[in-house]
Every structure is written in structure tokens, then in C-alpha cells.
Amino acid sequence: MQMFLHFYPAILTMLSMYCYRRDSCWMQKFYRRMTFSVSARKLFILLMMLLSLSFNFCYLQSYGADWFLALASLLCLSMFSFRISERGIYRLHERISTGLTFVVMLTCVVEPRIWPLSMNLFIFMAGSMFYPSEELIRRLEEPDFFSKIAACPASLISGYYSC
């Protein structure tokens, strides 16, 4: 179980690096669903929560209960609220919030007891990379922009990250 804990960040990093800005058929479908469907975004947030809870469970089985594990689990369980999670992800799209989260994450890695909190922040950060920007979602409400994206889905990938 401890071996899984140590490779968990590496596996998650490699998968996110492999899929980031990928122009494959599978990722184009993913980008379309994440952009046009609220239920797909809710499922994505629940999957991020599942990843966090699985890490917390493995940590609990390996090292036992701790206050910081409880704090990390509370952070993870707050992801049940879609509104709170989406606001947090939109905040992470801002440059200063991303920098502060990285600082907190790296500070938490130094102390082994706070490692679950750091890993939950890492999962949230990695997930925010694949979440459409608030500006893109807002611009889709305009009929002209919506028809442009719907007519040419290949342009969605460039607008997905740049907005």
C-alpha cells in the first residue's frame, strides 16, 4: 500500500502531461463534453474527489489516522458541492492563486504528516488544468460564439486554454 502512495503523484503527473493539450479524437470529445455539458463537469469533479478519497484511504491504511488527514478529507468532501468546487477551480485559473497553491503544496510536502493535504491540492490543481475557463463558458452563452464553436470543433481546443 505504501508503494502505491509513493507512485501515486508520479502516475497522476504522467497521465496529466500525456493528455494536456492533446489533439486526439478522444481528447476532442472530452473537451466538447466538458465545454457544453454541466453534467460532464459535475462528473469530472466527482472523479477528482474519488481520486482524492482513494489517496486518503491508502494513506489511512498505511500510516493511520491524523488531524491533517481529517483536514484533507474535509477539503475533499467539500467537493460534493459543485458550486464550491467550480469556484475553486476558476480561482486556480488565476495566476496568483496558482502560485499560492503551489507554495502551500510544496510546504505541505516537506512535512510527511501533511502529505495528504498536499496530494489533495495537487489533484485539484491537475484537475483544474482540464477544466474549461470561466470566460469560455460565459462566451458560449453568446449565439455567435456558440455557433462558431459548434461548426468547427477543432477551434475548441485553442479556445479551451486561451480564454
Side-chain angles (χ1 to χ4, degrees):
M1 192 65 74
Q2 286 183 350
M3 187 65 93
F4 177 73
L5 283 176
H6 294 294
F7 285 114
Y8 200 85
I11 292 169
L12 195 62
T13 302
M14 286 188 296
L15 282 174
S16 61
M17 287 176 61
Y18 179 75
C19 293
Y20 185 67
R21 290 190 183 223
R22 192 118 176 131
D23 197 14
S24 65
C25 179
W26 184 81
M27 286 304 290
Q28 285 180 1
K29 288 179 186 177
F30 173 79
Y31 291 137
R32 270 192 303 253
R33 287 196 177 106
M34 287 292 287
T35 304
F36 296 118
S37 174
V38 175
S39 59
R41 291 193 296 268
K42 286 181 181 180
L43 176 66
F44 183 74
I45 287 177
L46 288 175
L47 288 175
M48 284 189 339
M49 185 186 68
L50 181 66
L51 279 172
S52 297
L53 281 176
S54 66
F55 180 82
N56 290 349
F57 177 75
C58 292
Y59 185 87
L60 176 68
Q61 293 297 316
S62 298
Y63 296 107
D66 196 358
W67 284 102
F68 293 108
L69 179 63
L71 181 65
S73 296
L74 283 176
L75 172 73
C76 182
L77 290 175
S78 72
M79 292 172 73
F80 265 121
S81 171
F82 177 68
R83 202 173 78 230
I84 292 172
S85 300
E86 195 169 48
R87 282 184 195 160
I89 287 174
Y90 289 152
R91 293 263 192 273
L92 284 176
H93 285 168
E94 299 168 4
R95 177 171 249 146
I96 196 148
S97 300
T98 303
L100 289 174
T101 305
F102 272 124
V103 167
V104 169
M105 214 168 39
L106 291 175
T107 305
C108 292
V109 167
V110 174
E111 180 65 35
R113 293 182 309 150
I114 312 175
W115 198 28
L117 184 62
S118 175
M119 193 61 203
N120 286 336
L121 287 173
F122 175 69
I123 290 170
F124 204 65
M125 287 284 298
S128 72
M129 291 186 327
F130 296 100
Y131 206 82
S133 66
E134 185 178 18
E135 184 178 334
L136 177 65
I137 299 297
R138 194 175 305 135
R139 287 185 64 196
L140 280 174
E141 294 173 359
E142 302 169 8
D144 297 336
F145 188 75
F146 183 83
S147 61
K148 176 186 157 192
I149 293 294
C152 184
S155 65
L156 179 64
I157 294 174
S158 63
Y160 197 82
Y161 293 105
S162 65
C163 288

